[in-house]
Amino acid sequence: MNASGGRPCGGLWPDAWHRLMSNRGSVLALCAVGCIVFLAIGGPFLNPNRVDALDWSHVAMSPGLNGGHWFGTDRLGRDLFVRTLQGTGVSLLIGLFATAVTLLIGIGYGAVAGFIGGRTDHLMMRGVEILSGLPLIFFVILVSVIFGRSVFLLFVSIGAVGWLTMARIVRGQTLSIRQREFIEAAIATGAGTRRIIARHIVPNVIGPVIVYATLTVPQIILLESFLSFLGLGVQEPRVSLGTLIADGVGDMESAPWLLIMPGGFLALLLLCFNIVGDGLRDALDAQRR
Amino acid sequence: MIRYLLKRIAGAVPTLFIIITLTFFLVRAAPGGPFDQEQSLPPEIVANLQAAYGLDQPAWIQYRRYLTALLHGDFGPSYKYKDFTVTGLIAQGLPLSLTLGGVAMALALALGIPAGVFAALHHDSAAGYATMSLAVVGIAVPSFVVLPFLGLIFGIDLHWLPVAGWEPGSVKHLVLPVITLTLPPLAYIARLTRGGMLEVMQSHFVRTAFAKGLPTRTVIWRHALRPALLPVAGYLAPAVATIMTGSLVVESIAGLPGVGRYLVQGALNRDYTLVMGMVIVYSALLISAGLLVDLLYAWLDPRVRLAH
Amino acid sequence: MLQIDSLCIEFRQERARVAAVRDVSLALAPGECVGVVGESGSGKTQTFLAAMGLLGRNALVSGSIRFEGRELLAAATSELNRVRGARLAMIFQDPMTSLTPHLTVGVQMAEVLVCHAGLSWTAAKRKALDMLQTVRIADAARRMRQYPHELSGGMRQRVMIGMSLLCEPALVIADEPTSALDATIHVQVIELLAAMRREFRMAIALISHDLGAVHALADRVVVMYAGRVVECAPATAIFAHPRHPYTAELLRCAPNLSAARLNRMPSITGQPPDPAEVLPGCAFAARCARADARCRIERPLLVQSGGAAQAACHHPL
């Protein structure tokens, strides 16, 4: 409870945004994420080289500005700049898509459990507890072996594994929101459960959900590149940062840039997402206090 | 205490059973079988092989048979590494993997806790901020990027340490893999310790301890640290999982003959028994870690009752 | 013995500085018991936390606190550590959270003696056991081995009191020692404090909402409002004839002193002023029936107001 009434109060979102913007690390990371996204979308057009074009006159060329191969080329003469950006794009897409899956399942499950409460809630949360006790990474590996050819199913399986924490967060929020007057008012006016969840609960749990989602994206990008690195995820001719790094490790001694460029990109991407997520969490947390 | 332990172990059996069942049917749901890749084999020999391993039977009979053997401690033969039993393969590789993981865990705790305490006590100074920035890097950068980078620097550039390979009893070959496995849990533990410490330093009992005139280091190590470590204890089981996952890639990049490679290779080769064995061993390790965490909770906070 | 002079405490907050204590001066003589009363947020606890060096890092302190000839505000932590716990001890409000949960009662008591008197752990534990008996804890030997959560609230507060007395301090600061306890325990704790005072002859600063406790223990009463001392008088005088309208209001709200064991300060109409604001006049003016134009412009100073009493009021009763 803050007793001082005279201080300027701009509401939850503008205030949180202001806090986020006053955190220099977060701003920097946010800009970096923006640049990476922009590069991943527009980058391939900036460079004259095509993704799968084989430039036999420049095989395993080291990075430089001549020849238009800014990041160098691999053993087949493919341009690393374009490949890295394409891999980043694929990793980002997978991250966003799978995060959307975790959001859908997590919010639905958590909101229903929290809103209905009682024994249903108890049973549903018990299920989450048992699932989170299982070594899920093994199942992801097994599932990706089974569905290896289908990137779409891979997204879904990764997303299906990541929703547990999201469900917990949403349930906790829902439980506390359920006590508030406007929900009782909605019940009193005879609104159905589904309508209340969609209209009243979901919009109000959005803050913590966004924070957790920004932290989920890098987790999923990490998992995807991990699987791709092991040869279980994205398959040739598609590239992802994980497959590029796996290739780079093989040629580490003769052509270190094949490792450094995609590895650096992945590290930077994950780092920035984590910093933005942390900054956002701090901004919203401070608001809550 | 002993009753509690027995109860917990009994509680772990259903979990393990679920894991075994799920894995059993999951690996068999994958297209192909263990002998597919050897295209040179004529179909009748494949049929013979399958019959010899009982793979021609309906799945539920295979399942019953597998469980019965498992109860007698028999993980079965490997389908791919002929002449090897799964038990034999795991027994060969596990000591090295456990050493790697164990050392990484011990280092992560031994360095992460002091780093977190330091960062909490200097939370408004540049040093504390720098420690936590490093921790974010440690959490974010994946092991399959870290290890090759370390290899590039310390192996290829500086020639201090071997990039990959293994000689029995050699410590040099383990340095880079251990560092790689240590970093993520180290960073996480430092972060959790810092958070716990910051909160506990605000608590009433720490104020009492200061009011008693105890020196700051006594207040921190005797009064504040143990409750501040509760979040760290909660992280230990996930940390074991993180290290296990990391060891899958670290062992393969560094060319160490641990058990890490068996899980992925086994799955790719449809070596059903080997995958099962690995999942069971890893799950058992994870479950034991969970049990250890509960005991640790009770030590950190006597208000936690073991026999609830 | 304890001499506080023009103490000011401000807390830096994100957007503002909030003054908690404004120009407070007060003194305690050896063996004297002073009751400090006032609503929550009046700055009474912060004043004494400053003496103990226990304010948060965001506190800005000016003025002087001298204790047994030593300036406490300028003291380094190591110097402060020789005083606090040994010559100057503190008992806190909530015995539930003020004892370390993972250490046994015996260890928490004995460490004070190990630290200040340089005793061995065995000797320290022996003395701690004696102290537990002195503060009338039954089955003291068993209690020594127990953790705080295994003790009742009243017993924990006895442990806190015993712990504060181990080094026979010159002054014990008791910060609302009864307000977190069941009403039935209040009397026992106050009686124990009175008995300990007879036995150890220490001075007590009793910070309390509980006017009954103050009435029972204090020789002198200091009333604080909005970070300032508004009245300071001998206990008998203040209870018989309060000078400041605020004190009068407090007493009016708790008419029967022997039964006035309230969990909270008796409620007075209106709100205390926002601590972030700086008022030119008397802080109580807005709630005061006697206030006039002068009260709102000119701040009254603490002056002699009949006998040994001092009050900060333009229109004392």
Side-chain angles (χ1 to χ4, degrees):
Chain A
M1 290 292 115
N2 202 324
S4 60
R7 86 173 211 216
C9 210
L12 178 72
W13 288 105
D15 244 25
W17 178 253
H18 178 80
R19 262 169 221 281
L20 186 67
M21 286 302 114
S22 62
N23 180 343
R24 226 176 297 158
S26 297
V27 174
L28 211 65
L30 200 60
C31 292
V33 169
C35 288
I36 293 174
V37 170
F38 173 76
L39 272 178
I41 298 168
F45 301 106
L46 298 177
N47 193 280
N49 301 291
R50 310 250 335 155
V51 176
D52 40 8
L54 309 181
D55 185 349
W56 290 107
S57 55
H58 297 103
V59 170
M61 198 184 75
S62 54
L65 289 173
N66 355 330
H69 299 300
W70 300 334
F71 282 12
T73 57
D74 66 6
R75 269 175 197 288
L76 298 172
R78 289 176 297 192
D79 182 72
L80 190 61
F81 179 74
V82 177
R83 280 170 71 75
T84 301
L85 290 185
Q86 208 201 13
T88 310
V90 169
S91 293
L92 272 172
L93 262 183
I94 294 184
L96 293 177
F97 192 93
T99 303
V101 175
T102 69
L103 278 174
L104 271 178
I105 305 179
I107 292 180
Y109 196 94
V112 168
F115 184 74
I116 295 177
R119 194 178 293 169
T120 317
D121 172 41
H122 187 76
L123 268 176
M124 286 174 87
M125 283 341 260
R126 191 69 220 185
V128 168
E129 219 172 277
I130 290 174
L131 278 179
S132 47
L134 302 181
L136 291 170
I137 181 72
F138 304 148
F139 289 108
V140 172
I141 289 175
L142 294 181
V143 167
S144 56
V145 168
I146 298 170
F147 299 127
R149 307 276 130 57
S150 162
V151 176
F152 174 74
L153 283 172
L154 190 62
F155 292 150
V156 175
S157 76
I158 291 177
V161 165
W163 62 275
L164 295 169
T165 314
M166 189 69 85
R168 277 207 198 106
I169 291 172
V170 173
R171 172 189 169 263
Q173 288 290 315
T174 310
L175 274 181
S176 65
I177 287 172
R178 205 164 67 106
Q179 315 295 334
R180 305 232 297 258
E181 296 87 7
F182 61 87
I183 300 291
E184 275 169 29
I187 295 173
T189 57
T193 303
R194 200 177 302 168
R195 193 184 149 83
I196 292 176
I197 288 178
R199 283 285 178 84
H200 298 282
I201 306 267
V202 172
N204 281 292
V205 299
I206 216 78
V209 165
I210 286 182
V211 171
Y212 189 67
T214 43
L215 290 169
T216 305
V217 175
Q219 276 174 27
I220 285 174
I221 293 179
L222 177 63
L223 189 57
E224 178 275 324
S225 49
F226 170 78
L227 291 173
S228 299
F229 178 86
L230 290 175
L232 300 173
V234 174
Q235 310 276 334
E236 288 280 347
R238 285 207 186 83
V239 287
S240 98
L241 289 174
T243 58
L244 288 174
I245 293 168
D247 291 348
V249 170
D251 289 330
M252 195 162 89
E253 290 194 47
S254 53
W257 63 89
L258 288 180
L259 168 66
I260 293 172
M261 295 304 176
F265 246 77
L266 180 61
L268 191 67
L269 190 63
L270 295 177
L271 191 60
C272 292
F273 263 110
N274 272 299
I275 293 173
V276 171
D278 286 350
L280 206 55
R281 184 183 49 200
D282 291 348
L284 280 170
D285 267 3
Q287 202 59 50
R288 243 155 257 288
R289 243 177 258 142
Chain B
M1 173 82 174
I2 289 169
R3 250 186 65 195
Y4 170 78
L5 270 179
L6 288 176
K7 220 168 112 187
R8 278 298 309 264
I9 292 170
V13 170
T15 316
L16 209 54
F17 177 76
I18 295 174
I19 293 171
I20 292 170
T21 309
L22 266 175
T23 319
F24 187 90
F25 291 104
L26 213 53
V27 282
R28 277 167 178 74
F35 310 113
D36 284 0
Q37 276 101 337
E38 302 165 51
Q39 275 134 1
S40 54
L41 290 179
E44 53 272 28
I45 293 187
V46 171
N48 277 342
L49 273 170
Q50 290 198 323
Y53 287 119
L55 291 171
D56 53 346
Q57 307 278 331
W60 69 272
I61 293 184
Q62 293 183 35
Y63 176 61
R64 212 178 53 192
R65 226 181 249 168
Y66 184 78
L67 281 188
T68 319
L70 202 59
L71 279 180
H72 296 90
D74 181 9
F75 285 99
S78 163
Y79 297 146
K80 203 73 192 179
Y81 301 89
K82 309 257 161 53
D83 312 323
F84 282 99
T85 61
V86 171
T87 317
L89 284 172
I90 291 178
Q92 261 178 25
L94 199 60
L96 179 60
S97 292
L98 279 182
T99 311
L100 269 178
V103 173
M105 185 62 127
L107 276 178
L109 285 169
L111 301 174
I113 292 173
V117 170
F118 173 84
L121 297 181
H122 300 88
H123 69 100
D124 43 10
S125 78
Y129 196 73
T131 314
M132 280 306 107
S133 307
L134 275 181
V136 178
V137 177
I139 290 168
V141 183
S143 49
F144 55 90
V145 175
V146 173
L147 183 56
F149 270 54
L150 289 178
L152 266 182
I153 298 168
F154 294 104
I156 294 170
D157 267 15
L158 298 170
H159 295 290
W160 288 356
L161 292 162
V163 177
W166 166 244
E167 291 157 24
S170 156
V171 176
K172 255 193 342 203
H173 289 88
L174 296 182
V175 174
L176 295 182
V178 163
I179 292 176
T180 308
L181 284 180
T182 305
L183 284 178
L186 164 70
Y188 228 96
I189 287 169
R191 213 164 136 157
L192 291 171
T193 307
R194 172 180 180 270
M197 204 69 191
L198 278 178
E199 204 176 314
V200 171
M201 289 307 277
Q202 302 293 323
S203 70
H204 287 161
F205 62 84
V206 165
R207 190 177 64 180
T208 308
F210 276 120
K212 291 198 292 193
L214 301 174
T216 309
R217 57 165 198 288
T218 311
V219 176
I220 288 165
W221 297 108
R222 192 185 291 158
H223 290 262
L225 186 63
R226 252 160 76 178
L229 288 184
L230 280 172
V232 176
Y235 168 68
L236 285 188
V240 171
T242 305
I243 291 179
M244 279 177 185
T245 320
S247 74
L248 297 184
V249 287
V250 164
E251 285 177 15
S252 91
I253 296 174
L256 295 174
V259 289
R261 63 211 150 115
Y262 291 145
L263 186 71
V264 178
Q265 274 178 22
L268 287 173
N269 292 333
R270 308 289 186 270
D271 195 342
Y272 303 149
T273 42
L274 186 55
V275 173
M276 295 292 298
M278 282 303 300
V279 170
I280 292 170
V281 167
Y282 272 10
S283 306
L285 274 173
L286 267 180
I287 290 171
S288 335
L291 194 62
L292 203 70
V293 166
D294 283 353
L295 295 180
L296 208 58
Y297 266 128
W299 177 74
L300 290 172
D301 188 348
R303 284 171 298 186
V304 177
R305 289 290 163 112
L306 282 182
H308 51 250
Chain C
M1 176 193 54
L2 181 79
Q3 178 76 43
I4 300 177
D5 276 311
S6 17
L7 180 73
C8 291
I9 303 173
E10 281 186 309
F11 290 99
R12 265 191 314 258
Q13 291 192 340
E14 236 173 288
R15 290 194 170 91
R17 279 185 180 187
V18 174
V21 175
R22 312 174 198 228
D23 194 19
V24 163
S25 300
L26 58 90
L28 264 90
E32 187 189 26
C33 176
V34 170
V36 184
V37 297
E39 284 166 305
S40 310
S42 60
K44 50 196 197 309
T45 300
Q46 305 303 335
T47 303
F48 288 94
L49 283 180
M52 294 292 289
L54 293 176
L55 290 172
R57 283 200 204 196
N58 61 338
L60 300 166
V61 189
S62 66
S64 150
I65 300 179
R66 296 183 70 76
F67 175 71
E68 296 188 321
R70 227 186 292 233
E71 175 57 54
L72 294 181
L73 286 185
T77 311
S78 57
E79 201 184 328
L80 207 53
N81 278 343
R82 279 197 292 277
V83 177
R84 54 184 183 188
R87 302 295 303 152
L88 177 60
M90 189 153 179
I91 300 164
F92 293 98
Q93 178 172 6
D94 188 357
M96 306 284 200
T97 56
S98 295
L99 289 168
T100 303
H102 63 268
L103 295 175
T104 58
V105 168
V107 168
Q108 295 193 55
M109 294 194 63
E111 69 177 348
V112 178
L113 290 163
V114 172
C115 171
H116 290 294
L119 295 186
S120 71
W121 279 95
T122 347
K125 284 205 171 155
R126 212 176 305 124
K127 271 197 86 174
L129 181 65
D130 291 344
M131 181 53 82
L132 283 188
Q133 280 156 350
T134 310
V135 293
R136 300 170 204 163
I137 285 182
D139 207 359
R142 187 165 66 93
R143 299 299 181 198
M144 287 281 285
R145 292 188 303 273
Q146 285 184 323
Y147 293 98
H149 72 273
E150 296 170 286
L151 272 55
S152 70
M155 219 179 305
R156 267 178 271 192
Q157 198 58 297
R158 284 169 190 274
V159 168
M160 282 294 286
I161 292 172
M163 199 153 74
S164 72
L165 294 173
L166 280 167
C167 294
E168 304 190 4
L171 169 62
V172 170
I173 299 164
D175 182 14
E176 319 215 4
T178 57
S179 54
L181 300 175
D182 284 349
T184 48
I185 315 289
H186 286 193
V187 193
Q188 298 176 22
V189 169
I190 294 302
E191 276 170 3
L192 178 68
L193 273 175
M196 291 302 109
R197 191 180 163 208
R198 284 193 296 275
E199 189 165 339
F200 290 92
R201 309 202 164 282
M202 74 285 190
I204 298 179
L206 178 67
I207 303 165
S208 188
H209 285 152
D210 183 348
L211 289 175
V214 173
H215 186 61
L217 271 180
D219 305 317
R220 201 150 56 86
V221 178
V222 171
V223 183
M224 286 183 72
Y225 184 78
R228 293 180 196 278
V229 174
V230 293
E231 183 162 3
C232 174
T236 44
I238 212 168
F239 282 109
H241 183 68
R243 307 277 165 180
H244 196 284
Y246 175 63
T247 316
E249 198 74 350
L250 283 184
L251 293 175
R252 193 183 58 76
C253 293
N256 184 355
L257 282 178
S258 57
R261 297 196 177 87
L262 303 172
N263 275 329
R264 276 186 295 140
M265 202 62 199
S267 59
I268 298 174
T269 48
Q271 289 287 318
D274 182 346
E277 267 178 76
V278 181
L279 297 170
C282 172
F284 189 60
R287 299 164 80 184
C288 183
R290 304 167 69 87
D292 59 15
R294 183 179 170 214
C295 296
R296 287 176 232 282
I297 306 163
E298 185 191 336
R299 191 169 44 242
L301 300 173
L302 192 64
V303 289
Q304 224 56 4
S305 173
Q310 290 177 303
C313 184
H314 293 311
H315 311 290
L317 294 160

